[in-house]
Amino acid sequence: PLWWMEQNPDELMILDNGMKSYAKGKPSVTPIERTFESIASEKWRKDIAYGLSCIIEHIQQSCYAEHIFGYMLTGLMTEEWYHWSSGMEVLGDYSTHYVRRFREWLREKYGTVNELQKAFCDQNIDFDTVEIPSRLERFGEPDRTFRDPRKEMNVIDFYQFHNEIIPD
């Protein structure tokens, strides 16, 4: 909710242009200027989990609990569980939360700096210096469908992470 974002400005998504809000108008996520939480924020994840557990507990203790057979949780852009910047000209998330989670994901995937360097074809990279791919890297070459893992493994890995963090 907007009140949560106002109270937690450090937990918001950062866009590739350095801003925290999508601009009003097209192409935009909403018809108004709006900020969104970083789904990698530990505080947001903790708070949203607490909120969900409270509402489920409330429902389960109600007189109509026996009529509930399941819960359908929805969220993010148009409640379809795809990331806020999907299909947008302005990309997110470049927050410290997202960078940290991406680095953790890479550590889990590769295990060692040597394996990361081999995959990224970069002897100067390590888990503490990996960044979210730039806007240019993420958009890639428009005349190609597939990415070259010898040159773009950082982007391939980012998009795999990007799609795994949502169900997580």
Side-chain angles (χ1 to χ4, degrees):
L2 291 175
W3 63 262
W4 187 93
M5 289 184 275
E6 288 169 3
Q7 291 177 10
N8 298 280
D10 294 336
E11 309 302 314
L12 301 178
M13 178 170 52
I14 303 294
L15 304 174
D16 68 337
N17 61 10
M19 303 298 287
K20 288 185 178 179
S21 325
Y22 283 97
K24 180 179 177 179
K26 292 195 175 196
S28 184
V29 176
T30 63
I32 59 172
E33 187 170 322
R34 170 108 199 256
T35 58
F36 294 97
E37 72 284 344
S38 172
I39 63 172
S41 159
E42 290 299 326
K43 180 166 183 14
W44 177 77
R45 293 165 75 85
K46 180 181 170 191
D47 289 354
I48 201 73
Y50 175 74
L52 284 170
S53 67
C54 287
I55 192 124
I56 290 170
E57 182 179 336
H58 170 77
I59 293 168
Q60 292 302 110
Q61 293 177 359
S62 71
C63 61
Y64 50 85
E66 65 186 47
H67 302 286
I68 304 296
F69 63 89
Y71 297 92
M72 180 178 163
L73 304 177
T74 63
L76 299 180
M77 191 166 162
T78 68
E79 310 305 319
E80 296 174 275
W81 290 114
Y82 61 90
H83 204 276
W84 296 118
S85 62
S86 182
M88 301 299 295
E89 289 296 317
V90 180
L91 301 176
D93 182 357
Y94 288 84
S95 70
T96 57
H97 308 289
Y98 222 68
V99 172
R100 179 185 47 76
R101 288 290 298 251
F102 182 45
R103 290 173 177 173
E104 289 170 3
W105 186 90
L106 289 168
R107 274 188 183 94
E108 190 174 309
K109 178 176 180 177
Y110 291 109
T112 68
V113 171
N114 187 45
E115 290 300 312
L116 175 71
Q117 290 173 344
K118 283 195 306 191
F120 280 29
C121 297
D122 183 350
Q123 295 302 309
N124 298 314
I125 199 89
D126 66 48
F127 295 117
D128 296 326
T129 60
V130 171
E131 296 293 337
I132 303 296
S134 70
R135 170 188 178 79
L136 187 60
E137 289 174 306
R138 287 172 66 180
F139 277 118
E141 295 179 32
D143 59 335
R144 286 191 353 208
T145 301
F146 298 104
R147 295 193 181 263
D148 183 347
R150 294 168 298 173
K151 298 175 184 173
E152 300 171 288
M153 197 63 204
N154 64 323
V155 182
I156 294 168
D157 276 343
F158 172 74
Y159 276 122
Q160 185 175 348
F161 158 76
H162 194 59
N163 286 294
E164 288 179 13
I165 195 170
I166 291 172
D168 179 58

